[in-house]
Structures are given as C-alpha cells and as structure tokens.
Amino acid sequence: PQGATGAVLDGRDIGSIVCPEAAVKLFVTASAEARAKRRHAELLGRGEDVSLAKVQADLANRDARDMERATSPLAPAADAHLLDTTKMDIEAAVQAARKIVAACTND
C-alpha cells in the first residue's frame, strides 16, 4: 500500500533475536535433501567441483552447530509462520510468503 514501509530480512535468528517485534515472521524451511540439492546446483553453477554428499554433510554440520549454540540457537520464533519450501520452486515460495504476509497485514 502507498506509504507502507517494511523490509525483508533473511537469517537464522532474525525473527527470534534480531527483530522479535516484527509484524510478520516466516520460518522458511525445507527438507535437508532438498536444501542440499539446491545448494549443490548453486555451487555447480558457479563452477565449483563439489559432491552432493559433501554439501549434505556441510549442511548437516551447520544445522547441528546452529541448533546447539548457546546464544540465539536456530529455532522458529513462537509467533512465526512455518513455510516449508521442500516441494516449491522459488516462484511458488515467494507467492506463498506473499500470501502469508498479506493475510497477516490485510494487504
């Protein structure tokens, strides 16, 4: 809407730690397999020679580290909307996010 302000921030503790008072919070997730395949394709597209198994292991290690850290562990904020993008392409994920935001803000 005209005059509206806002921002989209992406990070593993944005809704829970960085901006806990945000009007709308999305906890975007996907299966470990889907995330690894997406990351692997991204890395191959950059010309990096990396195996899918290595990407999967790296993601698993990062997830474990982030979930177990003492300060701002990876977890959805209590009032976050879960958006599972496992079976979505980027366009579908954006549309799903927009729908959630619109429903929460009456836009």
Side-chain angles (χ1 to χ4, degrees), residues 20-67:
E21 301 302 321
V24 182
K25 299 174 199 162
L26 301 177
F27 189 82
V28 182
T29 188
S31 71
E33 180 181 3
R35 291 171 44 235
K37 285 180 179 179
R38 291 171 186 164
R39 180 72 174 148
H40 184 245
E42 177 186 352
L43 294 172
L44 291 178
R46 292 184 190 167
E48 295 186 37
D49 183 23
V50 61
S51 71
L52 179 57
K54 169 85 166 98
V55 173
Q56 288 172 320
D58 289 348
L59 284 175
N61 289 335
R62 179 182 178 203
D63 287 348
R65 183 181 63 243
D66 287 356
M67 285 187 264

Side-chain angles (χ1 to χ4, degrees), residues 65-96:
R65 183 181 63 243
D66 287 356
M67 285 187 264
E68 296 167 2
R69 65 182 175 219
T71 303
S72 66
L74 172 61
D79 57 345
H81 299 269
L82 179 66
L83 177 56
D84 187 336
T85 65
T86 299
K87 296 180 180 179
M88 296 180 188
D89 62 16
I90 187 65
E91 292 82 14
V94 169
Q95 288 304 315

Side-chain angles (χ1 to χ4, degrees), residues 7-15 18 26 28:
V8 175
L9 302 177
D10 175 33
R12 289 188 162 210
D13 63 356
I14 298 297
V18 177
L26 301 177
V28 182

